[in-house]
Amino acid sequence: MFVMGRSKISYMVPDSNNINQVLVQNPPSTTTHQCSFPTKLLLLLRRLIHSKEADGGSQSKEEERVCSWLYTLAHSQKYIAFEYVASTERGLSFTEAERRLKENGPNVPLEYSFPRWWHLLWNSLFHPFNMILIVLSAMSFIACDDANGCIMLILVFISVALRFCQEYSSSKAAMKLSELVRCPVKVQRCAGRVVQRELIVQVDHRDIVPGDIVIFEPGDLFPGDVRLLSSKHLVVSQASLTGESWTTEKTADIREDQSTPLLDLKNICFMGTSVVSGTGTGLVVSTGSNTYMSTMFSKVGKRKPPDDFEKGLKWIFYLLISVMLVLVTIMFLTDYLTSLNLSNSILFAISVASALNPQMLPLIVNTCLAKGALAMAKDKCIVKSLTAIREMGSMDILCIDKTGTLTMNRAIMVNHVDSKGMPQEQVLRFAFLNSYFKIEQKYPLDDAILAYVYTNGLKFQPSKWRKLDEIPFDFIRRRVSVILETNERQPQFSGRFMVTKGALLEVMRVCSYIANPDKKEGISIFSSDDYNRVLNLSEELSNEGLRVIAVAIKKLGEEASNGIKTSEEGDMIFLGLVTFFDPPKASAKEALRRLAEKGVEAKVLTGDSLSLATRVCTEVGIRTSDVITGPELEQLDQESFHGTVQRATVLARLTPTQKLRVVQSLQTVGKHVVGFLGDGVNDSLALDAANVSISVDSGVAIAKDMADIILLEKDLNVLVAGVEHGRLTFGNTMKYVKMSVIANLGGVISLLIAILFLKYEPLTSKQLLTQNLLYSVGQIAIPWDKMDGEYVKSPQKWSEKGLPMFILWNGPVCTLCDVAALLFLWFYYNIGADLDEKFFHSAWFIEGLLMQTLIIHLIRTDKIPFIQDIASSPVMCSTLVISAIGIALPFTPIGRIMEFTLLPFSYFGFLLILFLGYFVLGQLVKRLYILLYKRWL
């Protein structure tokens, strides 16, 4: 059935099983193929060319392969499992284990190669707008325009530094996963050439290979995916995979099939999970990158697809490059043919290209984001990724975990009932005495019981009781018992008692009687009807989102010794149930209401049970008409999966992979901008995929490393403020983007018209660069501008068609005003006849600068500027200062150096009329645009 070769292991599987056929055709390779650098480069290029966004609707081939492999082993007999991995019941020999280790490589959960710092620096440098600035800077230096070249290089340096620091810090997140499996492992190996003996040795987890037999006990981590061979009261925590705090019982003596959810397989344990109690042995069937955990986290650290804003900037880049190639070439040829001065024509063309490029875009964008980060810091948020602030402004779906976010992450006691569901004080009395006197392993449920009794003013007089002994809680019995004695006069409370509380099934297992007030004796035989009635009651309470524990007592004789053993837990009287609830935070409902008012829908993605999640969501106001669980999602086809995810508001019992698929489906199929709030290892996949990943300060290391934003307090109201800051940031960024593109394109087209009309340069290169510098400096105040109240009430996204149409509608308005100024100068001052070039240069410089400076007031709001809405003080001051400098410049010595001349006051009167007409025409176009497209910015 198996062959052990010198270079590889061949897996032989029965052909009758469909799953096994898949396994034979594509077995889980235990060999890591080493590719040469050229091969890796070709694979990288192929992945870049043929890249496709994951929509989350189906599992990847890697996931399907691993799942098929584990289901096959779960269904097989133990001896077949040995044959699948080419091992024996004695374990591997040391020689064979060493050979497999060399062949497979170290047992590490991830094989993702993180980029070196110089790769990140290279990618940060080669950004479209950086390339434009670098080329223009080089041309400026060639043309001896050192000042303009230096300014451009400084802008490139700022942009590159910001992006490099951000990507370098985030690329190391997945390395934290190695912390999960750093521990020694007990392994059974065989040794001896003639007579082989089994030896128990400790090896590092990195040296574990498929086929090893591992021995585990409480506290151990599983070093790989394991098929259990033997187990004794084995209880495992899978919180690192599921997010659920509850433990899972595992057993080797069972065969599973595909009807059982993968993480519910009783005979399979997964890498990264831990043993809570019990012991056992297991056969390692997968290690390293072939494990389920590694498949889950294989996407960690990989770059997210570009958002709509980045795509929009690329569109602007291609637009400006196209316009620059056409217009600058025409203007260069026209100027050269007119002046026949090659050096001046080249310098003029460079100046035009510089004026066309929005040089301040990286600085303005990052300043807007940095200002938003500072504002969020005041709300106790740490912003790691500046772009996440802008994404929060576009976010329309927030996926959140229940525990600790919607709830207080602590239990409160709700009720105490008998077997018929009626309140019964006796149940509470003995539950209180058990919690009061137990010493070992105090749990939050004990504190909840004590708090309930004290806050309700109940006096059970624990001073009249004396503790004799205690049988502490363990994960095999799942209950705790205390032996108490009292001398109370009431006969039902006199003498010695064993008081037990714990998991319902484990308590009922040791009960032979049940409290029955209808009987004279107060008890009756614990019948099957009673048993079923209690189970149904427990199920009803669980469906209401309550956690249930049972309480039982036993009257002991005077001869009972202090050394009580667990065998004494029997023939007990079942008293009833105590229920608990993790209450929702008082602020959660209000925060979710405020988010809904701002167009952000909340979806709960949790590993907890559906009943518990539904109750919490109901109390905080989340709609629960569409709910689903992870196992149910697995049964859906791709189309049904997407439709269900879009509708559902509560998704429970989700694995980390399912959380990832839900987020990807919302992004790609639903076209939503998704935020995800999580704090556990099980949330890391979804955090990595979400547009806005949010964690809390108390979260695990990898969750915090992968998060864009870290909350110092688990309060959703902080996110409401973050959404407002994000929309303010997005709005101010869009102001600059739209304004700069319109102003720059309009200005360059006006220059082209003027140079064709005049047959000489409308502005010298020096004057054009000065105008562009003053205009750019004046826009630095935009991040401090305010937004209309209506704008921040709904998510704001980049519209693919919005910017082109915005340019087509508003660009001609700027050009029209420039042409009006040109015609006024031509006819009124007769520049075509006897007016010198200095006069025109001075007039055109002031008109162009004022036009570009005032355009922000028309673009920044959908209202009437200066009447219905006034810009913030920094923007107003910037406008006044730059306008004053531009008007005064021809009257200064600097103006004479730049070859300006004095202008008559009649020209300034014309400019006043011109700009009044510009605002009237611009406002009319604005109204028509809003009427047609239903939005402005």
Side-chain angles (χ1 to χ4, degrees):
M1 293 292 291
F2 67 93
V3 179
M4 296 177 64
R6 297 185 62 182
S7 61
K8 67 178 182 179
I9 302 171
S10 299
Y11 295 86
M12 303 296 293
V13 189
D15 294 335
S16 59
N17 191 308
N18 290 333
I19 302 174
N20 295 352
Q21 290 177 4
V22 175
L23 186 62
V24 171
Q25 296 168 5
N26 190 13
S29 172
T30 58
T31 303
T32 302
H33 299 284
Q34 299 295 329
C35 299
S36 62
F37 178 76
T39 304
K40 290 182 178 179
L41 183 60
L42 289 175
L43 291 173
L44 176 61
L45 292 174
R46 182 184 302 174
R47 187 171 65 182
L48 291 174
I49 295 172
H50 300 288
S51 61
K52 180 181 178 182
E53 270 188 299
D55 61 11
S58 59
Q59 292 181 330
S60 65
K61 291 183 178 179
E62 190 73 14
E63 289 176 285
E64 291 178 353
R65 181 177 63 80
V66 171
C67 291
S68 297
W69 172 241
L70 294 176
Y71 272 118
T72 300
L73 290 159
H75 182 68
S76 65
Q77 297 283 3
K78 298 176 187 177
Y79 72 91
I80 296 294
F82 281 109
E83 296 180 356
Y84 283 170
V85 295
S87 185
T88 67
E89 295 182 356
R90 290 183 174 182
L92 299 175
S93 66
F94 287 92
T95 303
E96 175 63 17
E98 184 177 354
R99 186 190 68 79
R100 294 192 183 190
L101 182 62
K102 291 180 180 178
E103 184 178 281
N104 301 338
N107 175 30
V108 292
L110 291 177
E111 291 186 304
Y112 177 69
S113 178
F114 293 93
R116 300 286 186 176
W117 67 266
W118 53 84
H119 294 155
L120 294 175
L121 184 60
W122 181 270
N123 293 333
S124 300
L125 180 62
F126 280 87
H127 187 273
F129 286 100
N130 290 339
M131 291 297 96
I132 294 178
L133 291 174
I134 290 174
V135 171
L136 293 177
S137 175
M139 296 176 66
S140 297
F141 284 121
I142 293 173
C144 300
D145 188 8
D146 297 342
N148 192 49
C150 291
I151 291 174
M152 294 181 186
L153 287 181
I154 291 173
L155 295 175
V156 171
F157 174 78
I158 295 174
S159 176
V160 171
L162 288 172
R163 184 175 178 185
F164 169 74
C165 293
Q166 172 191 326
E167 293 192 357
Y168 180 71
S169 62
S170 63
S171 68
K172 300 182 294 182
M175 296 180 183
K176 296 294 180 180
L177 283 173
S178 61
E179 298 174 1
L180 293 174
V181 289
R182 290 184 179 276
C183 58
V185 182
K186 288 184 179 179
V187 179
Q188 177 179 306
R189 297 265 173 90
C190 60
R193 295 184 177 180
V194 180
V195 179
Q196 291 191 333
R197 296 181 179 180
E198 295 87 358
L199 299 177
I200 307 299
V201 295
Q202 278 197 342
V203 301
D204 186 78
H205 75 280
R206 290 173 170 266
D207 298 333
I208 297 295
V209 296
D212 267 331
I213 297 176
V214 293
I215 302 166
F216 42 82
E217 55 190 22
D220 289 344
L221 288 173
F222 289 99
D225 291 342
V226 172
R227 168 60 162 94
L228 293 179
L229 301 176
S230 65
S231 61
K232 182 178 180 182
H233 306 301
L234 182 60
V235 179
V236 173
S237 171
Q238 297 186 155
S240 60
L241 300 181
T242 65
E244 294 188 53
S245 56
W246 315 124
T247 55
T248 303
E249 294 182 358
K250 299 283 186 177
T251 179
D253 301 323
I254 191 174
R255 294 177 64 187
E256 300 276 17
D257 56 36
Q258 283 195 314
S259 63
T260 306
L262 183 67
L263 294 180
D264 291 341
L265 295 175
K266 295 293 185 183
N267 57 2
I268 298 291
C269 296
F270 301 91
M271 171 184 265
T273 61
S274 60
V275 180
V276 176
S277 65
T279 58
T281 60
L283 177 67
V284 178
V285 297
S286 300
T287 59
S289 60
N290 290 321
T291 61
Y292 176 70
M293 178 184 181
S294 182
T295 302
M296 285 170 41
F297 293 102
S298 60
K299 303 176 183 65
V300 170
K302 297 182 180 178
R303 193 172 66 178
K304 302 176 185 179
D307 56 24
D308 291 339
F309 190 87
E310 293 295 332
K311 293 178 182 177
L313 291 184
K314 287 184 178 180
W315 182 88
I316 295 175
F317 167 75
Y318 294 129
L319 172 66
L320 293 180
I321 287 294
S322 302
V323 173
M324 192 180 298
L325 291 175
V326 175
L327 295 185
V328 172
T329 301
I330 294 175
M331 297 177 73
F332 167 74
L333 293 175
T334 303
D335 185 67
Y336 176 69
L337 293 175
T338 303
S339 64
L340 298 178
N341 189 326
L342 181 61
S343 60
N344 284 343
S345 298
I346 293 176
L347 193 58
F348 178 71
I350 294 174
S351 303
V352 172
S354 176
L356 183 61
N357 181 44
Q359 300 176 2
M360 304 297 288
L361 180 61
L363 183 61
I364 293 293
V365 169
N366 289 314
T367 302
C368 286
L369 297 175
K371 182 177 177 294
L374 291 174
M376 292 186 68
K378 296 178 181 178
D379 294 324
K380 298 184 178 180
C381 289
I382 298 174
V383 179
K384 294 174 54 184
S385 173
L386 293 180
T387 57
I389 301 174
R390 183 181 63 239
E391 291 292 330
M392 285 195 75
S394 303
M395 181 178 69
D396 57 352
I397 287 184
L398 176 62
C399 298
I400 53 182
D401 190 18
K402 175 192 68 66
T403 304
T405 304
L406 296 179
T407 63
M408 301 178 70
N409 201 20
R410 64 178 179 86
I412 62 169
M413 184 180 150
V414 178
N415 208 347
H416 45 93
V417 297
D418 59 16
S419 60
K420 298 180 181 179
M422 302 301 294
Q424 180 58 255
E425 186 177 279
Q426 189 180 27
V427 177
L428 179 59
R429 179 189 296 271
F430 284 104
F432 168 79
L433 293 173
N434 180 288
S435 298
Y436 184 88
F437 284 103
K438 65 173 289 192
I439 297 176
E440 299 186 31
Q441 298 176 324
K442 284 282 187 180
Y443 290 105
L445 297 185
D446 296 308
D447 297 332
I449 293 173
L450 298 177
Y452 182 89
V453 171
Y454 294 143
T455 56
N456 285 277
L458 300 174
K459 300 184 182 299
F460 292 141
Q461 298 178 311
S463 59
K464 294 185 177 182
W465 293 78
R466 183 168 63 93
K467 177 182 175 183
L468 301 178
D469 204 353
E470 176 179 349
I471 306 176
F473 178 90
D474 61 64
F475 283 95
I476 299 174
R477 295 166 40 255
R478 299 176 67 192
R479 56 183 180 264
V480 58
S481 298
V482 293
I483 315 302
L484 305 175
E485 183 180 50
T486 182
N487 294 321
E488 283 204 32
R489 298 177 182 178
Q490 301 180 31
Q492 68 269 31
F493 299 134
S494 179
R496 292 186 178 183
F497 291 87
M498 174 183 286
V499 183
T500 301
K501 78 173 191 298
L504 175 61
L505 293 179
E506 303 303 328
V507 171
M508 289 199 298
R509 188 172 296 166
V510 296
C511 290
S512 301
Y513 307 95
I514 187 170
N516 190 346
D518 298 334
K519 296 289 185 178
K520 183 178 180 180
E521 298 83 3
I523 63 173
S524 60
I525 299 297
F526 198 3
S527 65
S528 59
D529 291 339
D530 295 326
Y531 187 90
N532 292 329
R533 184 176 68 251
V534 172
L535 286 181
N536 291 335
L537 175 62
S538 173
E539 185 176 355
E540 292 176 5
L541 294 171
S542 296
N543 289 336
E544 294 177 5
L546 299 176
R547 185 177 178 183
V548 175
I549 64 171
V551 182
I553 62 171
K554 178 181 181 181
K555 189 74 177 288
L556 301 176
E558 294 295 330
E559 69 280 0
S561 64
N562 290 347
I564 298 293
K565 299 179 181 180
T566 58
S567 59
E568 295 289 336
E569 293 178 326
D571 294 331
M572 303 191 73
I573 303 170
F574 184 87
L575 294 183
L577 305 174
V578 180
T579 60
F580 303 87
F581 183 52
D582 185 4
K585 292 182 176 180
S587 61
K589 187 172 184 178
E590 174 65 16
L592 291 173
R593 183 190 63 79
R594 293 174 60 194
L595 284 172
E597 289 179 350
K598 296 186 180 301
V600 180
E601 178 188 2
K603 289 180 181 285
V604 174
L605 277 58
T606 180
D608 289 328
S609 66
L610 179 61
S611 58
L612 183 57
T614 301
R615 165 153 185 175
V616 172
C617 292
T618 301
E619 296 211 6
V620 297
I622 296 178
R623 178 173 53 86
T624 57
S625 56
D626 291 303
V627 299
I628 196 168
T629 64
E632 292 171 343
L633 280 177
E634 286 296 326
Q635 306 303 317
L636 301 179
D637 58 41
Q638 189 166 350
E639 184 176 352
S640 300
F641 176 90
H642 291 311
T644 301
V645 166
Q646 306 307 314
R647 293 189 305 270
T649 54
V650 181
L651 299 95
R653 294 186 62 198
L654 296 183
T655 65
T657 305
Q658 289 170 335
K659 290 183 179 182
L660 169 66
R661 293 173 59 198
V662 168
V663 170
Q664 290 177 335
S665 175
L666 292 171
Q667 291 171 321
T668 57
V669 178
K671 303 301 180 183
H672 296 289
V673 177
V674 181
F676 189 92
L677 174 57
D679 58 0
V681 174
N682 59 302
D683 296 320
S684 56
L685 284 179
L687 286 169
D688 188 50
N691 301 94
V692 185
S693 52
I694 310 164
S695 189
V696 294
D697 187 43
S698 58
V700 299
I702 185 172
K704 290 189 291 185
D705 282 346
M706 300 184 69
D708 301 318
I709 298 172
I710 297 178
L711 307 182
L712 300 182
E713 293 182 357
K714 288 186 177 182
D715 187 354
L716 290 178
N717 283 293
V718 175
L719 295 183
V720 179
V723 168
E724 294 175 348
H725 293 314
R727 291 175 186 175
L728 179 64
T729 298
F730 185 89
N732 283 332
T733 303
M734 289 306 300
K735 287 177 188 177
Y736 177 78
V737 170
K738 291 186 174 182
M739 178 202 64
S740 62
V741 173
I742 290 173
N744 292 359
L745 279 176
V748 171
I749 292 174
S750 300
L751 282 173
L752 176 61
I753 295 173
I755 197 172
L756 293 174
F757 199 78
L758 300 172
K759 305 303 182 182
Y760 59 81
E761 297 175 357
L763 291 174
T764 66
S765 58
K766 187 183 302 182
Q767 293 166 350
L768 186 58
L769 290 174
T770 302
Q771 184 189 70
N772 188 47
L773 177 62
L774 288 174
Y775 158 70
S776 298
V777 171
Q779 309 314 311
I780 293 178
I782 289 179
W784 284 267
D785 195 16
K786 58 185 180 179
M787 294 298 302
D788 296 334
E790 294 295 324
Y791 187 85
V792 298
K793 288 184 178 180
S794 59
Q796 303 298 330
K797 300 179 182 179
W798 182 287
S799 174
E800 294 181 358
K801 299 180 180 179
L803 186 59
M805 298 309 300
F806 195 90
I807 295 172
L808 290 176
W809 277 73
N810 293 275
V813 178
C814 297
T815 303
L816 185 61
C817 291
D818 289 336
V819 171
L822 174 63
L823 294 176
F824 177 79
L825 291 171
W826 180 274
F827 290 106
Y828 187 82
Y829 292 109
N830 197 20
I831 59 173
D834 54 1
L835 194 67
D836 62 7
E837 294 184 13
K838 289 185 178 181
F839 185 89
F840 184 83
H841 289 167
S842 303
W844 190 263
F845 175 87
I846 293 176
E847 186 274 337
L849 179 61
L850 294 181
M851 172 66 68
Q852 291 180 325
T853 303
L854 293 174
I855 191 175
I856 179 61
H857 296 277
L858 183 66
I859 299 298
R860 61 170 296 277
T861 178
D862 58 358
K863 298 181 175 64
I864 301 176
F866 304 114
I867 298 176
Q868 293 179 331
D869 188 78
I870 301 177
S872 64
S873 297
V875 174
M876 291 295 296
C877 291
S878 173
T879 300
L880 292 174
V881 170
I882 297 300
S883 299
I885 292 175
I887 294 173
L889 196 60
F891 299 91
T892 64
I894 298 177
R896 288 192 292 272
I897 295 174
M898 297 184 64
E899 301 179 351
F900 286 138
T901 187
L902 300 181
L903 296 173
F905 287 106
S906 59
Y907 180 69
F908 293 102
F910 164 75
L911 290 181
L912 180 61
I913 298 173
L914 176 68
F915 290 129
L916 284 176
Y918 166 71
F919 278 107
V920 171
L921 179 60
Q923 190 65 26
L924 178 62
V925 171
K926 183 193 300 184
R927 288 292 98 199
L928 293 175
Y929 182 89
I930 294 174
L931 184 64
L932 186 61
Y933 296 101
K934 310 301 180 185
R935 63 176 296 172
W936 181 238
L937 288 177

